[in-house]
């Protein structure tokens, strides 16, 4: 099956809004990747993790992982303070950056010009949904599946 563009199922403001959301998603991901590269060049380690669940006694379990490799650096049980203390103990010089805080800013909003706010919200949910196939988005906007996938791709 060839991956080609087709006539969009929807045209006008709705199509333009979805296209703008796709373009913004790609720009946001590119900016995030550049920021991660800058941080790593400056000697920072990008980490992930956080609360992973609750034990029967009600205590929270958590982990700290290396974002690049997925390696578990430390696992523990306790509250947010215990998690923070473990992170500080392992990173006394403050060189670790949690992946959730890499951006440090809110992405710019895409103006839903000509699209009612409630529909714009529904379109954002639909586009960001894990179960929304790239093929469906491609059919709606008339792009190739590959192009849609490239714009929706996230690390």
């Amino acid at each position: 099956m060839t991956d080609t563009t087709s006539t969009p199922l929807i045209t006008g403001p709705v199509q333009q809004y979805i296209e703008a959301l796709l373009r913004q998603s790609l720009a946001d991901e590119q900016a995030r990747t550049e920021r991660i590269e800058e941080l790593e060049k400056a000697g920072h380690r990008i980490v992930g993790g956080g609360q992973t669940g609750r034990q029967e006694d009600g205590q929270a379990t958590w982990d700290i992982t290396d974002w690049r490799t997925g390696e578990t650096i430390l696992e523990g049980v306790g509250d947010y303070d215990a998690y923070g203390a473990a992170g500080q103990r392992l990173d006394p010089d403050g060189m670790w950056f949690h992946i959730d805080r890499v951006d440090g800013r809110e992405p710019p909003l895409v103006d839903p010009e000509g699209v009612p706010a409630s529909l714009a919200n529904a379109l954002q949910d639909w586009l960001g949904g894990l179960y929304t196939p790239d093929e469906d988005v491609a059919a709606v906007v008339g792009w190739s599946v590959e192009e849609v996938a490239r714009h929706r791709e996230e690390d």
Side-chain angles (χ1 to χ4, degrees):
M1 177 175 162
T2 39
D3 190 26
T4 59
T5 58
S6 62
T7 303
L9 294 175
I10 298 173
T11 59
V14 171
Q15 178 200 20
Q16 293 164 2
Y17 181 61
I18 294 170
E19 288 177 343
L21 290 171
L22 287 167
R23 285 191 296 276
Q24 185 63 55
S25 175
L26 180 61
D28 291 346
E29 188 58 30
Q30 289 171 338
R32 180 176 179 260
T33 298
E34 289 172 10
R35 177 71 174 136
I36 289 168
E37 289 171 0
E38 289 170 7
L39 288 167
E40 289 176 331
K41 283 180 185 172
H44 294 281
R45 183 179 195 179
I46 309 300
V47 297
Q51 186 173 347
T52 57
R54 293 214 179 270
Q55 296 183 323
E56 287 184 26
D57 63 3
Q59 288 287 319
T61 57
W62 49 262
D63 67 5
I64 299 172
T65 58
D66 182 279
W67 178 76
R68 281 269 178 222
T69 66
E71 167 197 5
T72 299
I73 300 168
L74 185 66
E75 295 176 310
V77 177
D79 59 12
Y80 183 78
D81 291 336
Y83 172 78
Q88 254 186 329
R89 189 174 64 254
L90 293 170
D91 178 32
D93 297 327
M95 293 301 291
W96 290 3
F97 248 87
H98 196 283
I99 190 65
D100 291 347
R101 295 201 165 76
V102 164
D103 293 332
R105 62 174 175 72
E106 287 294 315
L109 298 175
V110 175
D111 182 12
E113 187 176 329
V115 178
S118 60
L119 178 56
N121 290 335
L123 290 169
Q124 289 174 28
D125 291 345
W126 173 75
L127 191 59
L130 295 175
Y131 298 106
T132 302
D134 292 337
E135 292 80 4
D136 288 0
V137 177
V140 168
V141 296
W143 291 11
S144 71
V145 174
E146 288 174 342
E147 190 67 6
V148 168
R150 189 172 75 84
H151 281 73
R152 294 180 78 200
E153 188 176 279
E154 292 184 18
D155 280 337

